[in-house]
Amino acid sequence: MKVLVVGGGIIGCATAYELAKAGCQVAVFERATAGAEASSAAAGLLAPLGESTDTNFARLALASWRLYPGVVAELQRRTGIDVEYVTRGTIYPMSATQTRRDADAWALNKEFGVEVLEGADVQALEPALSPKIRHAIFVKGDHWLNNQRLVLAYAQAAVSAGAELNTGCNVSRLVVEGSRVRALVTDGERVDGDAVLLAAGAWSAELMAPIGAGLRIEPRRGQMIALAHVPPILTYCVHGEAYMAPRPSGELVVGATVERAGFQRAVTAEGIAGLLRAAIELVPSLRELPIARTWCGFRPWAPDSLPVLGPWPGVDGLFVATGHFRNGILLAPITARLMTEWITGGQPSLAMKDFLPDRFVRRPAR
Ligand SMILES: Cc1cc2nc3c(=O)[nH]c(=O)nc-3n(C[C@H](O)[C@H](O)[C@H](O)COP(=O)(O)OP(=O)(O)OC[C@H]3O[C@@H](n4cnc5c(N)ncnc54)[C@H](O)[C@@H]3O)c2cc1C
């Protein structure tokens, strides 16, 4: 079976890898380089605990988080790339009432090592935190990694498993004949396949419009800063109004804004000032650190903020994996697994009803 993957971000590369391992002939088409867009712009936080653990989204996120230790080891074995997977845990500064309420409400406290910190215990764990912070929740199970390296590792692993990675190849349209997708067109050339996986991130809706499909995906811009973090000030990730994740390579990643700014590729004075203000409020000594770089990226967002995963109804052979919004790095391993199950003719091993693309299908008004 020949599968054509549109987009070489984390979702396209991870799924290409799983498809190649499952015996498919895979070709990825990426108009820039692997991971050029949101997948490199991200912070790499793997933090699945939300307000509830009793939703299909929470189950998806937890399933992916549980796959990570195996994925990291497998990618390192195959490619030699160390993705800087850090499992020390994250501190969430909070108010006293919030701390008790949230810690009690969080199920899975044991698996995630959730602890309430009060008074001097906060600074005993992370001395650089502002003395004003008297209450926090520590979540040992909230991890992070270097997503730029992760996407390259997935891309290399896919190639080593037999996938073809075509970079610098813009896909201009999908070819649908009858009710089946037959091919895509890249640089004026038609490439035929048995299935197409659309994983074009925030740009995914563009290729669907000409075939009359009403997929709604929009960009949500995120601005980020890396501070030079040598010698390190923080040991743990700290997550308040801004988050700060210390990377072993010596950068402290500070993020992130969430903005409706179209595809304007710009970091703004307001965006950067807001992040730095929030970060310095939590960790005052950060004000001394040099700014190493700033950047922005475009999260793929669907109107219900949920991922869009599965077959496109009415067009045989066409699959969609997009809309991962703020969690595409976390969700990559499970997305790759579920899409591979689906594309190779099996049934996905998790409840998918909330994520199905058919929620975007235009139905006649009754
Ligand atoms: C600032 C920021 C911080 C984030 N932090 C986190 C985090 O801490 N944890 C987390 O889990 N997630 C995070 N995210 C979200 C995460 O980055 C995204 O959900 C994820 O990267 C989406 O992956 P993707 O492969 O769908 O999209 P992308 O990485 O954008 O990849 C899509 C690719 O498709 C290509 N493409 C588009 N159109 C075409 C075409 N016509 N032909 C060929 N190629 C095409 C693009 O060039 C691009 O490379 C963050 C995002 C941002 C912006």
Side-chain angles (χ1 to χ4, degrees):
M1 175 184 207
K2 183 166 183 189
V3 185
L4 312 175
V5 178
V6 185
I10 191 82
I11 300 301
C13 289
T15 311
Y17 175 49
E18 290 299 331
L19 284 165
K21 281 199 301 179
C24 297
Q25 194 189 339
V26 185
V28 180
F29 298 86
E30 163 55 51
R31 66 181 168 205
T33 55
E37 296 287 354
S39 301
S40 288
L45 307 186
L46 308 176
L49 290 192
E51 279 165 22
S52 164
T53 49
D54 191 24
T55 62
N56 285 335
F57 180 77
R59 281 184 274 278
L60 187 75
L62 282 164
S64 209
W65 176 87
R66 289 184 180 124
L67 291 175
Y68 255 105
V71 163
V72 166
E74 182 178 329
L75 292 176
Q76 169 117 37
R77 258 195 324 273
R78 245 189 205 267
T79 67
I81 297 176
D82 168 12
V83 299
E84 298 188 315
Y85 181 46
V86 183
T87 57
R88 284 194 286 264
T90 298
I91 299 171
Y92 295 85
M94 289 191 177
S95 71
T97 43
Q98 248 182 338
T99 311
R100 277 287 159 216
R101 199 189 55 218
D102 287 17
D104 291 347
W106 282 2
L108 301 167
N109 284 5
K110 208 152 176 224
E111 183 177 7
F112 276 78
V114 178
E115 269 176 62
V116 174
L117 301 175
E118 276 165 334
D121 286 352
V122 179
Q123 285 71 26
L125 185 66
E126 187 59 276
L129 282 175
S130 160
K132 290 187 204 148
I133 301 170
R134 307 309 287 161
H135 305 275
I137 293 181
F138 176 58
V139 183
K140 175 96 175 69
D142 275 1
H143 302 153
W144 64 97
L145 48 63
N146 182 324
N147 42 287
Q148 289 95 346
R149 291 189 188 187
L150 181 73
V151 70
L152 291 181
Y154 261 129
Q156 274 191 29
V159 170
S160 82
E164 198 185 286
L165 176 62
N166 303 287
T167 53
C169 285
N170 181 57
V171 175
S172 53
R173 76 186 169 89
L174 305 179
V175 180
V176 177
E177 291 167 358
S179 62
R180 167 160 276 281
V181 67
R182 297 280 176 198
L184 53 74
V185 176
T186 175
D187 300 327
E189 194 188 318
R190 174 177 166 139
V191 183
D192 283 66
D194 303 303
V196 170
L197 171 66
L198 182 65
W203 297 267
S204 294
E206 290 171 11
L207 286 170
M208 297 291 272
I211 62 169
L215 177 65
R216 273 195 64 201
I217 295 291
E218 293 174 21
R220 288 293 178 267
R221 186 172 70 185
Q223 301 186 43
M224 301 275 300
I225 306 166
L227 302 174
H229 194 226
V230 182
I233 290 175
L234 290 176
T235 304
Y236 299 95
C237 180
V238 176
H239 197 155
E241 261 185 51
Y243 54 74
M244 288 147 268
R247 288 189 171 167
S249 53
E251 282 189 333
L252 184 71
V253 178
V254 181
T257 63
V258 182
E259 301 161 86
R260 197 173 175 164
F263 285 109
Q264 276 185 61
R265 208 178 281 277
V267 286
T268 63
E270 186 183 30
I272 296 304
L275 291 174
L276 288 177
R277 202 178 307 113
I280 291 169
E281 176 89 18
L282 294 167
V283 182
S285 50
L286 289 191
R287 59 165 55 87
E288 315 281 336
L289 299 186
I291 295 177
R293 46 196 188 105
T294 59
W295 66 95
C296 74
F298 303 106
R299 304 175 184 89
W301 175 84
D304 53 10
S305 300
L306 292 173
V308 186
L309 306 173
W312 187 265
V315 184
D316 294 340
L318 178 57
F319 295 83
V320 178
T322 186
H324 291 80
F325 191 35
R326 305 183 74 168
N327 291 291
I329 306 299
L330 169 64
L331 295 174
I334 195 70
T335 299
R337 177 178 285 195
L338 294 166
M339 295 311 301
T340 299
E341 287 169 350
W342 231 321
I343 292 169
T344 56
Q347 275 304 308
S349 47
L350 278 181
M352 300 298 288
K353 74 174 174 36
D354 293 354
F355 315 124
L356 291 178
D358 71 2
R359 66 193 198 268
F360 295 98
V361 173
R362 295 188 191 110
R363 295 192 170 85
R366 275 191 269 177

